[in-house]
Amino acid sequence: MLFKKGILSLLACTAGASGAHIRNRDTTSVFLLAGDSTTAKQTNGGGGWGEGFKNFTINSPSFAVNYGHNGATTSSFISGGDWETVLSAASQHSASKTVYVTIQFGHNDQKLSDFVETYKSNLRRMISDVESRNAIPIIVTSISRRKYGSNGTIKDTLADWAGYAISIANEGGTMYIDLWKNSVEYLEKIGETAARKLDLKSGDATHLNGNGSIVFGRMVMDLLCEKSAAIKAVAKQNEKMSGDIQAGRPIF
Ligand SMILES: *[C@@H]1O[C@H](CO)[C@@H](O)[C@H](O)[C@H]1NC(C)=O
Ligand SMILES: *[C@@H]1O[C@H](CO)[C@@H](O)[C@H](O)[C@H]1NC(C)=O
Ligand SMILES: *[C@@H]1O[C@H](CO)[C@@H](O)[C@H](O)[C@H]1NC(C)=O
């Protein structure tokens, strides 16, 4: 038993995917993006980082599917059937491919009163559901809103929610990326004038237009590459854009 466990963890290390079940798979990876409108495709009511991530940061034949749902909370995503759709896709692909499910909620959960414990238990459930489908869950903290105070710092109320998400990831050693912290830092460096060019439309400091999706889709992939060599192996790099993000320079 011990021997077997040792071999398995050695293999898991080689694959760079902690917690992954090791099976006969091709090298294709599939990224299933679960989240709210800040992950979702660009439409009238929403727009997140998912499309930029999907279109520009992954080498074929690996691919992503964006399941971002405008207005979703962890609870509505589950009760409305989106979560079952994601899990079915995870089961289908994980027979032959490495499947990652990114989980980013908080923007709408935070508007509900007395919701912190429900948010946490929903995230715990989502992590175990993904693992039960032989896929790898990745917790993503909420992207920051682009609201600035008069001194150029970001005024955002999602810090606590990012903290809750990280605490749940840490309970079981789930992979996570801190998109909240990294987006706040980047937005403070580029400043409000540059940030306004990433808004879905004038007056919407939450949702991203296509250019914003490209910038933050790249940020998400760069953060994932820092955490996982297996993801880095299927990522399409853009050194210029990654350098600009790291240095806090506007891209558009
Ligand atoms: C900037 O303003 C915000 C409020 O808008 C405040 O919380 C923060 O402490 C200020 N930072 C500095 C460096 O003055
Ligand atoms: C991504 O690709 C889809 C399909 O081609 C397109 O509709 C969408 O506008 C693209 N979005 C971005 C941000 O590149
Ligand atoms: C995106 O950036 C390009 C290049 O700077 C620019 O031409 C285009 O107008 C921008 N799109 C939006 C929606 O701002």
Side-chain angles (χ1 to χ4, degrees):
M1 202 52 205
L2 266 179
F3 176 71
K4 195 175 165 199
K5 203 174 166 203
I7 293 284
L8 278 177
S9 52
L10 191 69
L11 284 170
C13 269
T14 312
S18 66
H21 295 244
I22 304 305
R23 293 134 45 98
N24 291 325
R25 290 186 168 120
D26 62 31
T27 53
T28 305
S29 292
V30 178
F31 297 85
L32 307 177
L33 315 180
D36 54 33
S37 62
T38 66
T39 298
K41 64 176 181 252
Q42 277 57 45
T43 59
N44 274 338
W49 54 265
E51 293 297 291
F53 177 86
K54 176 179 113 172
N55 292 0
F56 297 106
T57 76
I58 305 166
N59 273 322
S60 172
S62 295
F63 64 93
V65 185
N66 190 353
Y67 294 96
H69 190 139
N70 296 349
T73 65
T74 47
S75 286
S76 75
F77 200 84
I78 294 169
S79 65
D82 296 293
W83 186 236
E84 193 47 49
T85 305
V86 171
L87 293 177
S88 300
S91 296
Q92 183 205 322
H93 293 301
S94 69
S96 59
K97 299 170 175 65
T98 301
V99 177
Y100 301 95
V101 179
T102 65
I103 301 167
Q104 189 217 254
F105 294 92
H107 277 262
N108 302 308
D109 299 70
Q110 86 164 168
K111 295 171 189 162
L112 303 178
S113 56
D114 296 326
F115 204 67
V116 174
E117 289 311 314
T118 308
Y119 177 70
K120 290 180 177 172
S121 62
N122 285 341
L123 290 183
R124 277 189 203 103
R125 172 194 163 162
M126 286 173 147
I127 288 168
S128 71
D129 283 350
V130 170
E131 287 172 343
S132 76
R133 307 298 172 112
N134 290 327
I136 301 166
I138 303 171
I139 293 288
V140 179
T141 61
S142 295
I143 190 170
S144 174
R145 296 185 179 90
R146 294 173 301 288
K147 291 184 178 159
Y148 287 80
S150 54
N151 58 17
T153 56
I154 288 287
K155 283 180 13 182
D156 191 56
T157 54
L158 281 155
D160 288 349
W161 293 77
Y164 305 144
I166 290 171
S167 73
I168 299 304
N170 280 336
E171 282 176 0
T174 303
M175 195 193 308
Y176 75 87
I177 58 171
D178 197 351
L179 179 59
W180 181 80
K181 176 169 169 281
N182 283 273
S183 56
V184 167
E185 286 171 4
Y186 179 69
L187 290 166
E188 290 186 342
K189 283 186 189 149
I190 65 170
E192 181 161 18
T193 305
R196 289 285 70 87
K197 294 185 184 167
L198 308 178
D199 293 348
L200 180 71
K201 57 179 194 240
S202 175
D204 184 344
T206 300
H207 301 114
L208 298 165
N209 62 19
N211 289 344
S213 187
I214 291 170
V215 172
F216 289 101
R218 172 58 54 190
M219 180 182 287
V220 167
M221 181 52 98
D222 288 349
L223 293 171
L224 291 175
C225 287
E226 281 174 22
K227 289 276 167 111
S228 164
I231 293 179
K232 196 170 182 183
V234 300
K236 185 183 285 175
Q237 303 296 338
N238 180 333
E239 282 172 26
K240 166 83 171 73
M241 198 177 288
S242 296
D244 284 343
I245 290 171
Q246 220 148 33
R249 285 188 291 265
I251 292 159
F252 294 102

